[in-house]
Amino acid sequence: AVYLEESGGGPVQAGESLRLSCTISGFYNNNYCLGWFRQAPEKEREGVAAISSDDGFISYADSVKGRFTISRDNNGNTLFLQMDSLKDEDSAVYYCAAERTHCSRRDPFHLGFDFWGQGTQVTVLS
């Protein structure tokens, strides 16, 4: 079975930084897309960042470009999201996700990923 577990969420002051981690187990695909998504109350789930196994393709949502950085460890078992200069509107439950193919260039943040974590809450305090 494939498991994804997020950690690192919590309350943080606006302007500060937070680093999320996602531990991935049981996922052995050589071709994959790993992503971070978030969902705020009464809003739809949205993509934040994605990284592909082929040629290091990375994509960010416009709202986080220049502030968030997605990365993974060398063996692909841990996915990270470094979040800097946090804003009120970044408050949400953050999810990591994995799919068994390269990231879609046309729509890297589609919601049809194969596996999802349970989420970790990030609350930005102003």
Side-chain angles (χ1 to χ4, degrees):
V2 178
Y3 294 102
L4 287 75
E5 183 173 13
E6 304 91 344
S7 60
V12 61
Q13 294 291 327
E16 294 187 344
S17 299
L18 206 60
R19 190 192 197 203
L20 303 183
S21 299
C22 173
T23 301
I24 304 168
S25 59
F27 186 72
Y28 303 112
N29 281 60
N30 290 326
N31 300 322
Y32 57 83
C33 181
L34 303 178
W36 285 100
F37 295 76
R38 67 186 181 187
Q39 187 165 17
E42 301 182 355
K43 291 189 176 181
E44 294 185 353
R45 190 170 297 190
E46 62 176 2
V48 174
I51 185 167
S52 191
S53 58
D54 61 321
D55 70 24
F57 169 82
I58 291 176
S59 183
Y60 294 100
D62 288 343
S63 59
V64 306
K65 279 182 182 176
R67 300 188 299 120
F68 289 14
T69 304
I70 187 171
S71 63
R72 62 190 176 199
D73 64 353
N74 289 336
N75 58 20
N77 290 343
T78 307
L79 182 69
F80 303 100
L81 184 68
Q82 176 67 38
M83 305 186 294
D84 299 321
S85 304
L86 282 161
K87 305 176 181 180
D88 291 351
E89 52 264 41
D90 295 320
S91 294
V93 177
Y94 282 72
Y95 301 89
C96 62
E99 67 173 339
R100 292 169 290 192
T101 186
H102 299 149
C103 292
S104 167
R105 274 29 175 196
R106 181 179 58 83
D107 184 15
F109 302 133
H110 68 89
L111 298 182
F113 276 54
D114 298 306
F115 307 102
W116 294 82
Q118 293 299 307
T120 184
Q121 175 71 48
V122 173
T123 303
V124 182
L125 307 171
S126 57

